[in-house]
Amino acid sequence: MYLNKDTFLDTETARQLYHEVAADMPIIDFHTHLPQQDILDDHRFADLWELWLKHDHYKWRLMRGCGINEERITGNASPWEKFQAFASIMPLAVGNPVHHWAHLELQRVFGIDTVLSADTAEDVWNNANQQLHSDPSLSVRGLLKKFNVEIVCTTDDPASDLSPHEQLAAEATTQTLPTFRPDMAMAIDRPAQFNTWLKQLAERSGIRITDYSHLLKALKNRHDDFHKVGCRLSDHGLPYCPNGSQNGKSSYIELDQIFQNAMHGNAPESPDHWQHFAADIMQQIAAWNTEKGWTMQLHLGPLRSVNHTMFSQLGPDSGFDTMGAWPQTQALVDFLSTLENNSSLPRTIVYNLNQNESSAICCALQNFQDATTAGKMQYGPAWWHLDHKRGIIDQLEILMSLGSLGTSVGMLTDSRSFTSYVRHEYFRRIFCGMIGRAVEGGEIPNNPAMLRTLIEGVCYRNASQYFQWPKKP
């Protein structure tokens, strides 16, 4: 059977490690784009399109590559027509992670073993929709319980409303915590959007923002608010690490002038101005994180919205982002070194999209480890365009070769879908398969207690300890 119980588990050791250790471990999903309001409302889905396709740009991207018209992806076609189009392209996408994930979701959520195609689409659609309508466990909270999800971290702008998180803290459901994502604070290269966001931040923080010091005060105010509702992570989506200290630290007067220019609708006069401004913002947040014991996540390397025509029609997060090719290592090292010199280097996870520098980045991070936390500097999980079988194995092998595999915090979904938790199963199977082959090939000691500790740590226990989560009331 496709995706049978031993898929990716090609040795006896791998099968034992997965089925006896990894399979039933709880899930901590420390980076998602799930809507917290849906968790609060315990949302129920009208049909398989809403559950699967409505927000999933992984699937949209694949459909476009297989020649599906945009009308049946993000356009005005009916939910059934969009699902039928997705099912019809599945035979063309064998081996793609979307193919694996979709069928694992059918199996784990609905008990459907049917392989999707144009011929099977209607039966799958009717079966799944009937279950969505009749099974009370297929609500949002029911799905989180089904997948044994212990903690979910959403992704939240500093100007966002935290009241859903305040309410969820008192609910008997999966612990749901915000993540502080201040990317718009550095968007001085997009003055119109920056100014719209400044007004939102001012309203939310209660601080009138007329200069750079007010911006920092408002951000600090919100950083404190996030901490009160359980946030323990900041997150930063960057093309590369900004580091304005390469040519000396910028003065407040210089930073405020850059800010004033943006407030008056002017983009930075040179790329160096963005570097200096963004670097100071990042250094401020790193210091606040260090004070509060937060972890900083750096998502490095995406080149966003490269199809300008489609971006103008559909906006961001629509499947038109790709791997950037900026040099990463030197800028990252300079940034981390600045934080270390300022005694403000927090626990840090670096997610990398530039495969040309994967080993260099992992190696660089080892220079900033210390005794405060095992694996303080994390070479992060395979992310976005790399969270497929080859990408996961590459990430694990690089970490095993240049760092300490047993300190890894494991996997995440980075998803907008409440059925995407099969990605943890996908990762765990691939991980156990890799370790099993190494054990039976004599590359790793065949010590059952050590292996159990390794698998439990990477799949769950490291993440449960590394982030210093607040206790749920």
Side-chain angles (χ1 to χ4, degrees), residues 198-253:
L198 280 180
K199 293 175 184 176
Q200 296 168 349
L201 179 65
E203 182 177 351
R204 186 69 65 187
S205 66
I207 295 171
R208 184 167 174 262
I209 303 173
T210 60
D211 60 22
Y212 184 57
S213 68
H214 292 145
L215 171 60
L216 293 180
K217 185 177 180 181
L219 286 172
K220 179 62 164 62
N221 177 295
R222 294 302 288 161
H223 197 275
D224 293 342
D225 290 342
F226 272 62
H227 189 78
K228 290 173 185 175
V229 296
C231 179
R232 296 298 182 266
L233 288 147
S234 71
D235 184 34
H236 310 270
L238 300 162
Y240 47 84
C241 270
N243 192 48
S245 65
Q246 297 171 85
N247 301 311
K249 183 172 175 60
S250 302
S251 70
Y252 173 79
I253 293 174

Side-chain angles (χ1 to χ4, degrees), residues 321-332:
D321 304 325
T322 193
M323 299 177 185
W326 294 281
Q328 293 288 349
T329 308
Q330 185 65 59
L332 174 63

Side-chain angles (χ1 to χ4, degrees), residues 426-437:
Y426 182 76
F427 167 81
R428 291 173 179 184
R429 285 177 174 274
I430 291 168
F431 175 47
C432 289
M434 186 187 87
I435 297 300
R437 287 189 295 274

Side-chain angles (χ1 to χ4, degrees), residues 80 192 221 262 459:
W80 155 246
N221 177 295
C459 292

Side-chain angles (χ1 to χ4, degrees), residues 27-32 151-155 177-179 233-235 295 297 299 349 351 378 380-381 408-414 421 424 458 462-464 466-467 469:
I27 288 173
I28 292 176
D29 202 9
F30 49 89
H31 178 65
T32 82
I151 296 174
V152 166
C153 292
T154 61
T155 299
L177 304 173
T179 298
L233 288 147
S234 71
D235 184 34
T295 298
Q297 298 179 102
H299 285 87
I349 304 175
Y351 306 85
Q378 291 274 326
S408 170
V409 291
M411 195 53 176
L412 44 76
T413 63
D414 188 31
Y421 287 102
H424 283 263
V458 174
N462 294 344
S464 73
Y466 176 86
F467 295 98
W469 305 113

Side-chain angles (χ1 to χ4, degrees), residues 89-102:
I89 62 108
M90 283 289 92
L92 302 177
V94 291
N96 187 285
V98 171
H99 198 286
H100 290 142
W101 299 336

